[in-house]
Amino acid sequence: MPAVTVTGPRQSGKTTLCRALFPEHSYCTLEAPDARAFAAEDPRAFLARFPEGAVIDEVQRVPALLSYLQGVIDADPAPGRWILTGSQNLALLESVGQSLAGRAEVLNLLPLAWDEIRRFDPHPATLEEAMFSGGYPRIFDRALDPSRWLRSYVATYVERDVRTVANVGDLALFQRFVQLCAGRTGQLLNYSSLAGDCGVSQPTAKAWLSILETTFVAHRLPAFRANLRKRLVKMPKLYFHDTGLVCWLLGIREPGQLRSHPLRGSIFETWTVSEIVKHRTNRGEPGGLFFYRDRNGAEADLVVESPAGLALLEAKAAATPTSSLFRGLERVRGHFANAAGAGVPLPGVTVVYGGGSLQERGAGRLVPWRRVGEAVPPARR
């Protein structure tokens, strides 16, 4: 493609990655007021400064620039000339879709996956430390205290990014909303309850949740729908992309608090789901992830769709490998067995747990948290 658009949350490493991969490209960030003014007032002259292409950072700050970039690309469609980055998914994708359709590849860069974090020295040694630290690169690159860095991150996010994305009048109330969402990570998304607890209307709660999705703070996991002759839950589940951010928003200030925290299970589930999302995104296999729950309480944290078939996955924070960890997934797998025709393969079953040994059992696979990247096989061989 003539242009590559890299989007993701702020501080996920987009600029560092693009400048490292394309050192011969000129670099410009539209966060700088003078560069942003130049690009907005005279876009043709701005682009003429880069005859060989460039890495343009935070390009969503001047969306009209992409309309002029279209003409430049059509005149010289050499691949890889333009590397665009941005941290506001909705605004950036709208601009790219309208102006650069068929000319730009869009890639998402989420915070570091566990296999990437393990390359740093030091890196988290326990499950509690891994959940507490999250995955933002700067924390590990500079060996920073996660709580102190995330405090500044939240303040910057609320005070700058939220004002840029939407006209939120009461920033303190919005931060309270984000904290309430953190307390609901891994749970069904009930807009009425969330709005009532925050003291805002349902339309406001939905609009604010869209801001969290636009800025890659949280995402909704859709419910799996299939003709299984079961009354399935239809509302989505809410997840954060980073458990370190969840911990800070919940007032957790050291890893040890997670050992007995009432939301330990939900935080571990969020960590596991985010790891699967990152691995599939990094392999170029976004989407295809759902959860399963029926009205009788049968549940699977993840249903993974791929050309190879379906896979069921559950996250259990328990460290002891026991057969009881498969109980919920065996019930769900039974639903698929009852609905499947002859010769239809049943979903594979995997439990990611807080222990340390990888085990293959008759009921399925037990995958330790340190090897979470092995929980779901790749869709393409």
Side-chain angles (χ1 to χ4, degrees):
M1 288 289 187
V4 177
T5 303
V6 181
T7 183
R10 189 174 292 280
Q11 295 292 324
S12 64
K14 300 181 297 297
T15 301
T16 302
L17 176 66
C18 291
R19 297 191 73 176
L21 291 177
F22 301 94
E24 74 283 358
H25 279 47
S26 299
Y27 172 78
C28 179
T29 175
L30 298 184
E31 285 284 5
D34 56 341
R36 184 164 65 248
F38 185 15
E41 295 167 5
D42 195 348
R44 294 186 190 278
F46 175 82
L47 293 173
R49 296 172 55 204
F50 311 112
E52 304 300 324
V55 175
I56 302 180
D57 210 356
E58 298 298 340
V59 71
Q60 84 281 348
R61 298 298 298 270
V62 187
L65 181 67
L66 298 179
S67 298
Y68 293 89
L69 183 59
Q70 174 184 335
V72 174
I73 288 175
D74 289 344
D76 183 0
R81 287 181 66 207
W82 301 94
I83 313 299
L84 314 175
T85 80
S87 55
Q88 295 170 15
N89 189 30
L90 183 61
L92 183 57
L93 292 185
E94 285 181 351
S95 301
V96 171
Q98 292 171 5
S99 304
L100 299 181
R103 301 171 180 86
E105 179 78 15
V106 178
L107 304 175
N108 290 336
L109 184 67
L110 297 174
L112 297 175
W114 172 247
D115 285 346
E116 297 171 311
I117 292 172
R118 292 171 64 182
R119 302 176 192 174
F120 289 88
D121 187 20
H123 62 261
T126 66
L127 174 58
E128 289 76 22
E129 290 177 1
M131 294 190 294
F132 177 75
S133 299
Y136 285 99
R138 189 174 294 271
I139 291 174
F140 305 100
D141 185 43
R142 305 285 180 86
L144 302 177
D145 175 68
S147 283
R148 295 183 63 181
W149 187 86
L150 288 164
R151 178 181 61 192
S152 300
Y153 184 88
V154 170
T156 302
Y157 167 73
V158 171
E159 293 171 5
R160 184 173 65 176
D161 288 2
V162 172
R163 288 189 185 276
T164 302
V165 175
N167 184 22
V168 176
D170 192 337
L171 291 179
L173 186 59
F174 180 82
Q175 183 162 340
R176 170 65 176 160
F177 173 81
V178 179
Q179 291 171 331
L180 289 172
C181 286
R184 287 167 165 77
T185 187
Q187 300 178 21
L188 293 175
L189 181 55
N190 187 318
Y191 290 108
S192 176
S193 173
L194 181 60
D197 289 349
C198 191
V200 298
S201 65
Q202 283 194 47
T204 297
K206 290 181 179 180
W208 285 2
L209 186 62
S210 294
I211 294 175
L212 297 185
E213 290 186 304
T214 297
T215 51
F216 291 92
V217 169
H219 64 102
R220 283 173 280 196
L221 184 69
F224 182 77
R225 300 185 184 183
N227 185 20
L228 299 178
R229 300 177 182 177
K230 296 290 181 180
R231 295 183 60 198
L232 302 181
V233 171
K234 297 181 179 179
M235 66 177 63
K237 291 178 75 171
L238 177 65
Y239 286 101
F240 273 57
H241 281 295
D242 188 79
T243 54
L245 186 57
V246 170
C247 290
W248 192 89
L249 290 167
L250 293 178
I252 299 171
R253 297 295 180 259
E254 60 179 30
Q257 292 178 254
L258 283 167
R259 296 191 185 96
S260 58
H261 197 278
L263 292 181
R264 172 185 169 86
S266 295
I267 295 173
F268 179 66
E269 180 183 332
T270 299
W271 185 85
T272 302
V273 169
S274 70
E275 285 296 313
I276 301 302
V277 170
K278 291 172 189 175
H279 278 271
R280 287 178 64 86
T281 300
N282 294 345
R283 292 196 300 245
E285 302 164 2
L289 298 177
F290 309 88
F291 78 95
Y292 179 99
R293 179 183 289 185
D294 68 11
R295 301 291 182 180
N296 295 320
E299 181 177 9
D301 292 335
L302 278 177
V303 179
V304 184
E305 281 187 338
S306 75
L310 296 176
L312 304 178
L313 187 144
E314 188 82 4
K316 296 292 187 181
T320 304
T322 63
S323 299
S324 63
L325 298 179
F326 290 99
R327 194 169 296 150
L329 291 185
E330 287 178 329
R331 182 179 175 188
V332 173
R333 197 168 188 254
H335 294 177
F336 284 87
N338 294 335
V344 177
L346 293 178
V349 170
T350 301
V351 174
V352 179
Y353 76 116
S357 62
L358 177 67
Q359 299 185 11
E360 298 283 349
R361 298 197 175 197
R365 300 173 68 224
L366 273 175
V367 177
W369 66 273
R370 293 179 185 274
R371 300 173 66 174
V372 64
E374 303 174 32
V376 178
R380 293 190 293 269
R381 299 292 181 180

